[in-house]
Amino acid sequence: MIRSIPLVLWLTIALTSVGCSGLAKVDVGKVLTSGRDGWQHPDQVIEALEISSGDRVAEIGAGSGYWLPRLSAAVGPDGRVYAVEVDAQLVAHLEAFVAEEKLENVEVILGAYADPRLPDGRIDLAMTCLTYHHIEGRIDYFRALQVDLAPGGRVAHLDDRPGSPAPISWFQAEGHWTDPELILSEMHDAGYKAASNFEFLPAQSFQVFALEDGTTVTGADELAGSVGENATKRTLRGDR
């Protein structure tokens, strides 16, 4: 749809709509020259995530690999990034991308539908971007993810939110979003508390969660048993 709009008309719409709180957060020039960077604001996102050198970060639903170079740079040579996908072809694409970009601290993982297959107790930050709405059985899934988190570990979700005004909504796939309040409620039920909430993204909610005070993870077997092999059905492709 966007491609059919003449450039002048697109600029007119963008500039005359700048009073809209959503579009005001879009870097129109960057959208036209660099695409996603103009509305995803990756540098601000990475800064907000407060990743430290040496951290171990997992992206669940790494998609095309958009975030991997940025995460790789953020954790540095002493850190580790785990790029998780459940589709073998997409995993092969990610492996080729990682090799081409020479991201030596990035490991691609073929995850299972109910288990990202991350190293237990090692993850300082697990993030999803445009993935949360694909996950079914989310409460059980993220409760089980506690096993993978290091002490003080966090979980961040960036997901499209409903009701974005045009022309922002033109970039969104119908139904591929989650109400931010639903994310907050489900993560609470999974044993997490809200740690940060950022409002600078024009079309996405951006929430960071930490484990609730007093939450104890007793072991992978106990938590995995509560989830079940078929509790989570998800497709992590298509949006990233």
Side-chain angles (χ1 to χ4, degrees):
M1 182 176 181
I2 295 297
R3 295 176 182 175
S4 67
I5 299 176
L7 178 59
V8 173
L9 178 56
W10 164 245
L11 282 171
T12 300
I13 294 171
L15 293 174
T16 57
S17 302
V18 75
C20 160
S21 61
L23 191 58
K25 302 171 186 176
V26 177
D27 185 333
V28 176
K30 189 171 286 188
V31 166
L32 294 172
T33 59
S34 304
R36 180 173 177 176
D37 286 0
W39 54 265
Q40 188 66 84
H41 300 308
D43 293 339
Q44 283 182 261
V45 169
I46 293 296
E47 181 179 2
L49 288 173
E50 297 183 326
I51 298 169
S52 299
S53 178
D55 276 356
R56 294 177 179 267
V57 175
E59 184 183 4
I60 299 172
S64 64
Y66 175 83
W67 288 105
L68 298 184
R70 298 166 174 87
L71 294 173
S72 173
V75 303
D78 295 327
R80 196 75 172 164
V81 176
Y82 301 95
V84 181
E85 269 297 348
V86 297
D87 180 82
Q89 290 185 330
L90 198 47
V91 165
H93 162 79
L94 287 170
E95 289 174 339
F97 176 77
V98 167
E100 181 180 351
E101 296 293 320
K102 296 181 172 58
L103 305 177
E104 297 181 358
N105 58 354
V106 176
E107 178 180 344
V108 180
I109 295 177
L110 177 60
Y113 285 109
D115 182 2
R117 294 173 175 161
L118 294 167
D120 291 351
R122 304 294 299 278
I123 304 303
D124 299 296
L125 172 69
M127 70 172 286
T128 71
C129 182
L130 299 172
T131 296
Y132 190 89
H133 60 270
H134 284 292
I135 302 174
E136 297 181 10
R138 293 187 288 250
I139 294 171
D140 286 337
Y141 184 86
F142 288 106
R143 184 181 293 124
L145 186 71
Q146 294 177 25
V147 170
D148 301 325
L149 298 180
R154 299 167 297 141
V155 179
H157 296 304
L158 293 80
D159 206 38
D160 277 357
R161 54 174 173 255
S164 295
I168 295 170
S169 60
W170 299 347
F171 294 95
Q172 296 177 311
E174 181 67 28
H176 285 231
W177 48 57
T178 313
D179 189 303
E181 290 299 319
L182 180 59
I183 296 175
L184 183 64
S185 174
E186 291 180 342
M187 290 299 287
H188 178 268
D189 290 345
Y192 298 83
K193 62 182 178 182
S196 302
N197 181 49
F198 301 98
E199 299 287 349
F200 60 82
L201 296 176
Q204 296 172 339
S205 62
F206 177 10
Q207 302 177 73
V208 181
F209 298 88
L211 289 176
E212 287 279 10
D213 293 338
T215 298
T216 302
V217 177
T218 55
D221 291 341
E222 182 174 336
L223 276 176
S226 69
V227 175
E229 186 65 28
N230 298 315
T232 305
K233 301 290 185 182
R234 59 185 178 144
T235 303
L236 301 185
R237 299 178 291 171
D239 292 358
R240 282 103 41 229

